[in-house]
């Protein structure tokens, strides 16, 4: 293979392979002339993260045209609101999740919640939070300890500076937004935080 062949291959767009990627909506809705953000509480019967607060969304299917289409489809499946009632405003930065691939977030405006019919197989509850409340209330910060522990197939004896990868521990901050009885954290808080930073600036 020569340099020209490499240049040609690099200039050819690769077909997107989402594998485990997911797409979510950060839905804005106007309630009594005030903008709110819609959140959902995951059904208690789900195997993954039951009862936790999140944005509507889910895995990107092969049949989805792209990540935005997946976010709209998932929103409709979870809340029953027709896609024509949803306007995509912008995408946000993708977030890499070690267990779930890339998360593709989109900010959207929902015309109304009048037609909301949550899918009880996926949604335990839902609630909205005024944007002004989130802007004026900084999140609480907690720390998670992360331990680096090489797996059995990791060639620890063959790499330089091996001691740096043996049972090392470090702390990483997590943001927690608290609203009434609800707590918003994890990837949802990271997406929310980016959105709030955007509109603050």
């Amino acid at each position: 293979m020569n340099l020209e062949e490499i240049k040609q291959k690099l200039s050819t767009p690769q077909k997107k392979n989402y594998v485990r990627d997911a797409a979510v909506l950060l839905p804005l809705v106007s309630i009594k002339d005030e903008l709110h953000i819609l959140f959902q509480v995951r059904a208690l019967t789900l195997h993954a993260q039951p009862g936790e607060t999140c944005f509507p969304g889910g895995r990107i299917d092969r049949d989805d045209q792209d990540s935005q289409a997946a976010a709209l489809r998932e929103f409709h499946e979870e809340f029953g609101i027709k896609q024509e009632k949803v306007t995509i405003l912008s995408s946000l930065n993708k977030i890499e999740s070690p267990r779930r691939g890339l998360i593709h977030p989109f900010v959207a405006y929902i015309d109304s919640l009048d037609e909301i019919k949550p899918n009880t197989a996926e949604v335990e509850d839902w609630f909205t939070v005024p944007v002004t409340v989130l802007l004026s209330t900084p999140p609480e910060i907690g720390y998670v300890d992360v331990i680096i522990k090489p797996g059995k197939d990791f060639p620890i004896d063959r790499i330089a500076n091996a001691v740096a990868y043996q049972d090392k521990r470090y702390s990483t901050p997590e943001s927690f937004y608290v609203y009434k009885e609800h707590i918003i954290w994890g990837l949802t808080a990271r997406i929310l935080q980016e959105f709030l930073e955007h509109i603050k600036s």
Side-chain angles (χ1 to χ4, degrees):
M1 183 173 288
N2 59 39
L3 183 59
E4 284 304 315
E5 289 177 303
I6 290 173
K7 286 169 63 178
Q8 176 64 37
K9 288 181 180 293
L10 290 174
S11 65
T12 303
Q14 286 187 312
K15 185 178 180 181
K16 290 185 179 179
N17 182 15
Y18 291 111
V19 191
R20 297 179 301 147
D21 289 6
V24 300
L25 279 191
L26 186 158
L28 296 168
V29 62
S30 184
I31 300 175
K32 296 182 180 178
D33 297 324
E34 183 175 21
L35 277 176
H36 286 234
I37 298 177
L38 171 66
F39 295 89
Q40 75 178 54
V41 178
R42 290 173 60 82
L44 300 178
T45 52
L46 293 173
H47 293 296
Q49 300 170 301
E52 292 198 16
T53 296
C54 66
F55 290 123
R59 187 167 291 184
I60 301 171
D61 291 343
R62 292 187 182 275
D63 294 337
D64 292 321
Q65 183 177 352
D66 52 26
S67 54
Q68 179 176 304
L72 289 168
R73 174 185 54 75
E74 285 283 343
F75 180 70
H76 174 67
E77 289 176 4
E78 292 171 358
F79 281 103
I81 295 175
K82 295 176 182 176
Q83 294 189 18
E84 52 264 33
K85 300 287 186 180
V86 182
T87 303
I88 298 291
L89 303 180
S90 176
S91 61
L92 296 173
N93 289 325
K94 300 177 186 69
I95 295 180
E96 187 166 5
S97 167
R99 294 186 294 114
R100 300 180 211 159
L102 285 177
I103 310 296
H104 301 249
F106 296 90
V107 181
Y109 181 74
I110 314 303
D111 289 351
S112 167
L113 296 180
D114 292 345
E115 298 177 11
I116 196 167
K117 293 179 182 176
N119 177 354
T120 56
E122 298 189 59
V123 181
E124 182 71 21
D125 197 5
W126 61 273
F127 63 96
T128 67
V129 185
V131 173
T132 53
V133 169
L134 292 165
L135 286 171
S136 61
T137 310
E140 299 176 12
I141 304 297
Y143 289 84
V144 175
D145 286 339
V146 179
I147 300 173
I148 300 175
K149 188 175 181 64
K152 64 178 182 178
D153 297 328
F154 192 93
I156 192 73
D157 57 325
R158 293 160 53 195
I159 63 173
N161 194 27
V163 67
Y165 302 94
Q166 290 180 309
D167 298 332
K168 288 292 182 180
R169 181 191 300 263
Y170 65 93
S171 292
T172 182
E174 288 279 356
S175 296
F176 297 83
Y177 292 88
V178 180
Y179 180 72
K180 297 182 179 178
E181 72 274 20
H182 303 289
I183 188 161
I184 302 157
W185 74 289
L187 292 173
T188 304
R190 288 172 61 185
I191 295 167
L192 175 62
Q193 200 160 26
E194 186 196 342
F195 169 73
L196 295 174
E197 290 299 326
H198 268 298
I199 61 176
K200 279 180 186 175
S201 62

